[in-house]
Amino acid sequence: MIRRPPRSTLFPYTTLFRSRELILQLEAKNREIMQEIAHLRRQQEMEDQALQSQQNPTLLAELKVLRQRKEELEQHLSTLQESRRELMVQLEGLMKLLKNHQASPRSTPNTSPQIGRAHV
């Protein structure tokens, strides 16, 4: 039977779980953006080839819009990657706190550092 940690130590576990969940969501969004960027690059290459054979004003306008969208996506990707780095730093800090909390001699399975037996 798996023992649940005392209620007083659930906060780090919950925060750790939420941080991991958020990181997974950001990574999924990152993959989506990378796929869209790859798709736009393929489109850009095809349109560049078409433009080389003929100068079509409609294609030029469309190409400009696609390139702007590409720049926006790359900026968004950069922002997501920075957020992910910050979350990883926070996650590492939480993991260290959790490890220190578990290794603390004041902390036993029946007590926590905040609520000692003296108050009982």
Side-chain angles (χ1 to χ4, degrees):
M1 185 165 102
I2 299 174
R3 292 182 55 184
R4 273 185 76 195
R7 287 182 160 244
S8 61
T9 62
L10 285 179
F11 173 73
Y13 291 108
T14 304
T15 304
L16 181 65
F17 175 76
R18 287 182 184 150
S19 295
R20 286 184 177 166
E21 188 175 290
L22 184 56
I23 288 170
L24 290 174
Q25 290 172 355
L26 287 172
E27 287 174 342
K29 187 66 175 173
N30 186 19
R31 280 190 297 275
E32 287 177 32
I33 290 171
M34 291 302 289
Q35 289 173 348
E36 190 170 349
I37 287 172
H39 174 73
L40 289 173
R41 282 186 178 146
R42 286 190 301 273
Q43 254 185 330
Q44 181 179 354
E45 289 171 5
M46 290 180 353
E47 289 178 6
D48 284 346
Q49 289 172 357
L51 286 174
Q52 289 173 358
S53 63
Q54 66 183 25
Q55 294 294 323
N56 185 334
T58 305
L59 284 177
L60 287 173
E62 210 174 306
L63 179 60
K64 182 179 179 182
V65 170
L66 287 172
R67 286 185 174 156
Q68 287 173 342
R69 178 67 177 146
K70 176 188 168 212
E71 289 174 17
E72 291 169 7
L73 288 171
E74 287 174 341
Q75 179 61 39
H76 187 65
L77 175 63
S78 176
T79 302
L80 285 174
Q81 288 173 335
E82 180 61 30
S83 295
R84 182 181 182 275
R85 281 190 289 274
E86 291 171 5
L87 285 169
M88 290 302 292
V89 168
Q90 290 177 6
L91 180 60
E92 288 172 8
L94 285 171
M95 291 173 74
K96 284 179 186 176
L97 283 173
L98 183 59
K99 184 178 178 181
N100 290 340
H101 178 75
Q102 289 174 342
S104 173
R106 298 181 301 164
S107 177
T108 64
N110 296 324
T111 64
S112 74
Q114 291 119 7
I115 304 172
R117 291 190 179 271
H119 297 123
V120 176

